[in-house]
Amino acid sequence: MDASTPVGLTVHEARSLLDSREVSSEELTRAALDRIGHLEERVRAFVTVTPELAISQAREADRRIAAGDSAPLTGVPMQLKDNMATRGVATTCSSRMLEGFVPPYDATVTRRLYDQAAVLVGKGNLDEFAMGSSTENSAFFPTRNPWDLDRVPGGSSGGPAAAVAASECLYSLGSDTGGSIRQPASLCGVVGLKPTYGLVSRYGLVAFASSLDQIGPITKDVADCALVLNAIAGHDPKDSTSLSVNPPNYTESLGKDLRGLRIGVPTEYFVDGMDPEVERSTRASIALLERLGAEVEETSLPHTSYALAVYYILAPSECSANLARYDGVKYGFSDQDADSMWDALERTRAQGFGPEVKRRVMLGTYALSAGYYDAFYLKAQQVRTIIRKEFQTAFERFDAIVSATSPTTAFRLGEKTADPVQMYLSDVLTLPANIAGIPGISVPSGLSKDGLPIGFQILTAALGEQTMFRIAHAFEQASDWNGQTPQL
Ligand code: GLN
């Protein structure tokens, strides 16, 4: 360990130092807070920093460690994306609508991490209500990519990915509706996992598109990802979409070889407009899996090209319903300077929401309206079923499907803000997994000539996380990535 930057540690490295008392949680937490203080002016990954809470949680963690009662995440400083409820700590969704909103309860994921005496150092910036791919839709400020501060970190979990890449915390949680964990993880050179739909409770996650949303870990390496998923996965009676499963210990999937595994490479995932460096890196990653003993075969998922269209009907439709609750009455921003109730509602929503959120609400309301419902929403649901079945059939032949995570490396701030469709195309390779409800992980696979991270995506059948960890870990150990971090 480099004693001057203990926050550069992974969770599992920190664990052994904490348990052997070489470092205390309070020291580790102070180091993280110092680093946040030193870097935030440039990176801006945090909407809120919680120093007092963090120090008091760290002292509690140190007591637990002293009592020999530590869990894998005890005393380890972390961040939560700012769309997950934290009792007593503002939860804004990076929206004016919820600016200053302090939830009276914890999300289940927050609770589960606190149960292990984890330490919250702050809340991560995001595209407003998780709608976007660059974090430029945050109503407060954009986050910058720690590898190149003129570039975006991806989104919508850009704050979490940037914070982990910059070692401002040891891990974070993101949410992924169409790629919002995996795409920023890819652009920031960290590991990001979207679990199977229903594996992690969404109680206390501010809803965007409920049939697609999932919470998952953003970490420095695959072993950490397994530790964090172990902590947050599992049934929750408070979330009716939560699966009734007893999750295994994902750490047990690490360190196994790949012999006998069958891996499919869908030709459609080498999309038009893919950066040639991303394509080269992806082909090299596939060759590496082959050298590790996997049987690799080209395959076809012919309905892939419809996934984007399906997503941009279903996600806005669900968002238009979910965001109807922001009416200025119960909580959040409220403009009561109006003549009538309807007028107040209109003024509240006109000022409280930013342009992308309004665009989604309008698209969704249109797709759900009488006369258009069958042509858009119903049609999209039918194509969703076809895409889901296409994956099911593919997973009869393959243990996993692999591709690039994002067609490009991190783009410049402002480069895609004027053209929403260009921005939407950033997620073509990630959103099919949300449509099908299957898990996906992004693992760093290399750096471009410009020194920008490239990510490799592994998809498996629903509840195939063990196979996913097995492949991701073997890949990580054999690749020459070696836990690189940006120079800041
Ligand atoms: N970029 C996609 C969107 O804007 C996905 C966002 C997400 O996964 N939350 O909808």
Side-chain angles (χ1 to χ4, degrees):
M1 172 186 87
D2 175 357
S4 63
T5 55
V7 281
L9 302 167
T10 62
V11 174
H12 54 91
E13 287 164 348
R15 176 83 272 127
S16 49
L17 294 173
L18 286 165
D19 286 343
S20 64
R21 318 285 166 80
E22 281 163 80
V23 66
S24 69
S25 172
E26 187 170 340
E27 284 164 346
L28 195 55
T29 301
R30 288 194 189 279
L33 293 168
D34 282 353
R35 187 146 172 102
I36 292 168
H38 169 66
L39 289 178
E40 261 311 273
E41 202 183 313
R42 286 182 287 156
V43 178
R44 310 216 73 184
F46 286 78
V47 175
T48 304
V49 184
T50 50
E52 291 90 21
L53 175 68
I55 296 296
S56 77
Q57 288 177 331
R59 289 183 179 152
E60 172 58 27
D62 282 329
R63 280 192 287 276
R64 271 181 69 164
I65 295 166
D69 179 29
S70 69
L73 305 175
T74 304
V76 180
M78 55 94 181
Q79 184 210 53
L80 295 170
K81 187 176 180 179
D82 207 21
N83 59 353
M84 296 171 203
T86 41
R87 190 161 67 94
V89 176
T91 299
T92 68
C93 290
S94 291
S95 178
R96 297 275 170 228
M97 192 61 99
L98 287 175
E99 197 170 3
F101 169 67
V102 178
Y105 72 105
D106 283 322
T108 294
V109 288
T110 309
R111 201 58 272 150
R112 290 203 176 167
L113 296 177
Y114 285 177
D115 284 347
Q116 290 203 9
V119 174
L120 180 73
V121 291
K123 305 292 297 286
N125 196 21
L126 63 151
D127 287 297
E128 184 175 3
F129 283 101
M131 296 171 198
S133 307
S134 68
T135 317
E136 292 165 296
N137 294 337
S138 165
F140 306 140
F141 44 80
T143 297
R144 288 163 186 271
N145 191 312
W147 294 85
D148 178 345
L149 297 170
D150 293 331
R151 292 179 187 265
V152 302
S156 63
S157 313
V164 174
S167 295
E168 293 179 297
C169 56
L170 279 71
Y171 69 95
S172 186
L173 294 187
S175 64
D176 190 311
T177 305
S180 279
I181 290 174
R182 290 160 289 156
Q183 183 259 17
S186 168
L187 272 46
C188 289
V190 293
V191 174
L193 168 71
K194 180 200 93 74
T196 301
Y197 182 75
L199 183 64
V200 175
S201 168
R202 296 175 312 169
Y203 177 74
L205 171 71
V206 178
F208 163 12
S210 306
S211 79
L212 302 157
D213 300 337
Q214 255 300 280
I215 293 175
I218 296 186
T219 59
K220 292 193 169 173
D221 69 9
V222 175
D224 281 4
C225 189
L227 290 175
V228 178
L229 186 62
N230 282 341
I232 61 175
H235 182 67
D236 178 13
K238 291 184 179 141
D239 174 355
S240 60
T241 64
S242 159
L243 296 171
S244 288
V245 291
N246 238 334
N249 179 351
Y250 295 104
T251 304
E252 286 169 8
S253 304
L254 311 179
K256 304 206 163 127
D257 71 42
L258 302 188
R259 268 188 301 249
L261 285 184
R262 299 152 307 165
I263 293 178
V265 179
T267 46
E268 292 83 2
Y269 278 61
F270 291 95
V271 289
D272 283 347
M274 180 176 263
D275 178 335
E277 283 200 83
V278 172
E279 172 161 357
R280 216 172 306 126
S281 168
T282 306
R283 297 210 186 270
S285 299
I286 293 164
L288 177 58
L289 293 179
E290 220 163 356
R291 286 203 298 284
L292 290 170
E295 291 162 32
V296 177
E297 203 184 303
E298 273 207 352
T299 186
S300 174
L301 294 169
H303 288 84
T304 299
S305 62
Y306 298 104
L308 189 78
V310 166
Y311 178 86
Y312 277 99
I313 298 292
L314 296 182
S317 296
E318 294 182 25
C319 116
S320 73
N322 275 327
L323 272 57
R325 71 190 67 169
Y326 302 102
D327 54 10
V329 177
K330 293 196 195 67
Y331 49 79
F333 175 75
S334 182
D335 181 339
Q336 294 303 323
D337 205 10
D339 297 334
S340 69
M341 182 198 81
W342 293 112
D343 202 20
L345 192 147
E346 217 172 282
R347 293 170 71 121
T348 295
R349 289 171 68 84
Q351 295 165 67
F353 289 142
E356 184 62 26
V357 174
K358 287 180 186 160
R359 183 177 300 122
R360 303 286 177 108
V361 169
M362 286 190 278
L363 280 171
T365 308
Y366 182 80
L368 290 173
S369 55
Y372 296 104
Y373 182 91
D374 288 1
F376 294 111
Y377 187 75
L378 192 67
K379 181 65 78 189
Q381 289 288 23
Q382 289 163 338
V383 181
R384 179 177 198 172
T385 303
I386 294 174
I387 292 173
R388 198 190 281 269
K389 287 198 175 137
E390 199 164 273
F391 273 112
Q392 272 165 11
T393 311
F395 288 124
E396 285 165 15
R397 283 176 57 211
F398 298 111
D399 298 295
I401 283 170
V402 298
S403 71
T405 306
S406 165
T408 68
T409 54
F411 39 94
R412 289 183 188 285
L413 274 110
E415 193 177 321
K416 300 193 183 190
T417 39
D419 186 349
V421 176
Q422 274 309 311
M423 192 71 90
Y424 297 171
L425 282 169
S426 200
D427 304 307
V428 276
L429 304 175
T430 48
L431 49 86
N434 302 73
I435 289 174
I438 61 172
I441 193 169
S442 179
V443 184
S445 65
L447 285 181
S448 71
K449 285 196 301 288
D450 298 336
L452 299 170
I454 299 172
F456 185 56
Q457 176 175 243
I458 304 162
L459 305 173
T460 65
L463 295 176
E465 278 84 357
Q466 286 165 290
T467 308
M468 173 175 292
F469 275 117
R470 179 175 162 196
I471 300 170
H473 189 248
F475 173 78
E476 174 191 66
Q477 298 304 304
S479 85
D480 48 20
W481 174 258
N482 289 328
Q484 293 174 75
T485 50
Q487 297 296 317
L488 276 160

